[in-house]
Amino acid sequence: GRFKGTQYTKGLAATKKIIVGGPFLKGHTIAVGSLESGPILIDGQPQLITFPSRYDLAGLASVSYNSDGELVDHATAIWEKKVVTMDLPLGVRMEVFRWTNYLDFRLTMTPQPGQDGCCGNFDNNPANDDSREVMERLGARVGPGDNMFNHRTIIGFSDVEQKLLGMCASEKSADADNFCVQSGPPGSPPFNSCKIDICFGANQHALRMSKALGL
C-alpha cells in the first residue's frame, strides 16, 4: 500500500493506493487508487473505465466496480460509493472504497503461513502489530525487490508534519529517536517519517486523530 497525509488529516497518513499481486496471481497485478489518482490498472493497463463494470482476470480472479458494499467508515455515507471488489485466489476478498483523495478497504481472508505486513501478522496478538514491531520485522519501507509500484514516493515534510514531530509524547519520542537512526540521520526525511510512524501510526482514524490533536 501507499500511505500519505492529506490536507484534511494534517500530515497523518491515509491509504492512497494499493496494489494486489504476487505468486498467487501468477504475476498479474491489480492497482486501485483514490478517485483523483487516475484509473484502475490491471497489469498496468486502465480497466473498469465505465461504472458499473466487471473484469475477469485470466480465470484467476474477478474484479467488479459498482456501488455495492458495506461502508468501512459510516461517516462516508454522505458520498456516492464507488467500490472495487476483488474475489481472489485462496478465498481472499478485498473491497476498496474509492474516495476523492484516499481509500478505505476491507480485506477478508484466512491466515496464511508466514503472513506479515503493515496491518500485522494475523496471529491474534495486536500487541505485536504496532508500527515499531512491524518495522522491526520488515523494515521501515518495502524493499526494492518487493515493491510493485513503478516508483517510490519522495518523502517530504510540510509545516504541520514538522509540528507533529514536536507533539510526540516524550517517552515515545525518545524511543523513536533511538530506533529511527536505522532509517537515516536524525532530521532527515526518512528518519522523520519513521518517527511519525512510531509516534502516531496505527491510529484508528487519521481525520479524528488530527482533530483531537488540534491540528
Side-chain angles (χ1 to χ4, degrees):
R2 177 164 284 164
F3 311 100
K4 297 175 67 177
T6 74
Q7 67 183 99
Y8 304 105
T9 59
K10 309 300 183 184
L12 296 175
T15 306
K16 301 287 284 187
K17 194 170 188 177
I18 61 168
I19 297 183
V20 179
F24 89 136
L25 277 184
K26 298 184 178 179
H28 296 285
T29 59
I30 305 167
V32 183
S34 62
L35 293 172
E36 70 181 14
S37 71
I40 299 160
L41 301 178
I42 298 180
D43 293 336
Q45 299 300 314
Q47 303 290 351
L48 302 166
I49 302 299
T50 59
F51 185 86
S53 55
R54 185 178 178 85
Y55 186 91
D56 179 77
L57 181 57
L60 290 169
S62 64
V63 187
S64 62
Y65 189 31
N66 53 41
S67 58
D68 298 335
E70 181 182 352
L71 291 170
V72 174
D73 177 5
H74 289 281
T76 59
I78 59 174
W79 300 320
E80 179 188 5
K81 286 193 295 184
K82 298 210 168 179
V83 189
V84 179
T85 302
M86 308 177 207
D87 288 301
L88 304 162
L90 304 177
V92 177
R93 182 180 176 89
M94 178 175 277
E95 299 166 275
V96 185
F97 295 77
R98 304 181 76 203
W99 309 115
T100 300
N101 60 2
Y102 75 102
L103 304 173
D104 286 324
F105 69 92
R106 178 183 294 111
L107 177 62
T108 306
M109 62 182 294
T110 56
Q112 301 296 312
Q115 179 174 343
D116 209 345
C118 58
C119 294
N121 56 17
F122 212 171
D123 67 351
N124 294 315
N125 178 15
N128 63 24
D129 292 338
D130 67 17
S131 297
R132 174 166 179 159
E133 293 275 351
V134 170
M135 286 192 287
E136 283 183 339
R137 295 194 301 266
L138 303 177
R141 304 193 82 187
V142 175
D146 297 319
N147 187 9
M148 291 188 287
F149 291 98
N150 57 15
H151 68 280
R152 286 193 178 277
T153 297
I154 297 173
I155 301 174
F157 277 83
S158 64
D159 291 342
V160 72
E161 287 165 330
Q162 292 290 348
K163 183 179 179 180
L164 271 174
L165 290 170
M167 297 175 70
C168 184
S170 58
E171 185 176 335
K172 270 194 172 183
S173 181
D175 179 50
D177 286 343
N178 290 328
F179 179 78
C180 291
V181 291
Q182 63 183 294
S183 296
S188 68
F191 176 93
N192 289 346
S193 176
C194 172
K195 186 169 182 175
I196 284 181
D197 282 342
I198 289 179
C199 292
F200 302 104
N203 64 79
Q204 292 292 315
H205 197 285
L207 177 58
R208 291 179 194 138
M209 186 173 187
S210 69
K211 289 181 177 179
L213 291 170
L215 296 171

